[in-house]
Amino acid sequence: MKATIVCLPGDGIGPEVVRATQSVLEAVADAFGHTFEMEDYPIGGIAIDQFQSPLPDFTLQACQNADAVLLGAVGGPQWDDPDAPLRPEQGLLKIRKELGVYANLRPVKPHPRLLHTSPLKPEKIANVDLIFVRELTSGVYFGQPKRRWMEAGEERAVDTMTYTESEVRRIAHLAFQLARQRRRKVTSIDKANVLETSRLWRKVVTEVAREYPDVTLEHLLVDAAAMYLIQRPSSFDILVTENMFGDILTDEASMLAGSMGNMPSASLGEQQNRHGRPRGLYEPIHGSAPDIAGKGMANPVGTILSAALMLRHSLGLEEEAQTLERAVEETLSLGILTPDLGGSANTEAMTRAIIEQLAPSRSPAWDQAAQTIR
Ligand code: NAD
Ligand code: IPM
Ligand code: MN
């Protein structure tokens, strides 16, 4: 297969984890006889500095012509002035909106080797296997009006939380369809005791559920959901929620899996690529980690596993995706871990180890490299 993958390294550790993932994708292409054309384009803070835009038009255009898009992370302290007219995060929100990727899938499944790196008790998390389905292109992130102004001698600001019935309906369907491929349980999370958008959310999700009588539906209020995620994490299968609740709860859920650095995501919508599959946006859930940027110690697993989701969903390469996921699992089992996972491997060492696991017979040089790492 020939595929065009647009890469958006972004800021901080973004370029480090994307570079690592590109070398893994090249190894996958080699092993399976594919050609992946990968080209980098600017987004985020670096794009503001160089092109005065967090998402230059040429980057957007390249993404719209790609088979899939792989993103690192955007943002950092140098662009954090609350009065700055341009912010790196605007680029991320815009690319999500323009690609129409309304469903952000964030799977959480702790690796057995990492049970002890979670702050939670190993027996609580041993059987956790859940997927968050986060609505990604609406809600308070995008609602208008959104602005800040002077009024009666002080600054005032407004954000607007908004949902339409169809926006809730399409993501609810996706959640139920995913549940059918798994343990047939959907947990819908809202704040229906306070928010009008949540009451609409709950009503529509309940309606959609009638079309899936074989799937169990549970409603939780978001504050209680935050607690249950810690108290009974293995009771969840699919969790579906609006944009901001999903953002917050998935960082919380990442601690079930030991580190945010391990967490991949796939964002899917209705646009199709030239293979007749969804043109997805694939990104780790973590940010640009300014505290460790440039040190070569970022955990590349979240981005590498995002690439596995890309192989599966956008390129239809299921065997390749599984092979890559197994290579990551094997590497973790061997105890080759970055510092966030309690190990001492750097980004490069971990990446090499994954490549070695991918195709053990490919090159004896990898074996040697892996030996020295261990
Ligand atoms: P963060 O996710 O960047 O970092 C939180 C903590 O997790 C830090 O201690 C960091 O070192 C650690 N961490 C994150 N990813 C890691 C990895 N791959 N390996 C090892 N450790 C890792 O969150 P933050 O510090 O709140 O935000 C920093 C910047 O990133 C902000 O500007 C924010 O807007 C941006 N951000 C971007 C994205 C994105 O581009 N998708 C996501 C979240 C935050
Ligand atoms: C994420 C990030 C983004 C979000 C920010 C950087 C805009 O936190 O992908 O989880 O809130 O969606
Ligand atoms: Mn987030």
Side-chain angles (χ1 to χ4, degrees), residues 83 147-158:
D83 289 321
R147 65 188 185 101
R148 219 163 74 198
W149 71 100
M150 283 299 291
E151 193 177 295
E154 61 175 352
E155 265 202 304
R156 195 180 171 94
V158 62

Side-chain angles (χ1 to χ4, degrees), residues 111-120 122 125 337 341-342:
H111 185 279
R113 180 72 168 69
L114 299 177
L115 293 183
H116 68 281
T117 61
S118 167
L120 293 155
I125 53 172
L337 309 170
L341 302 172

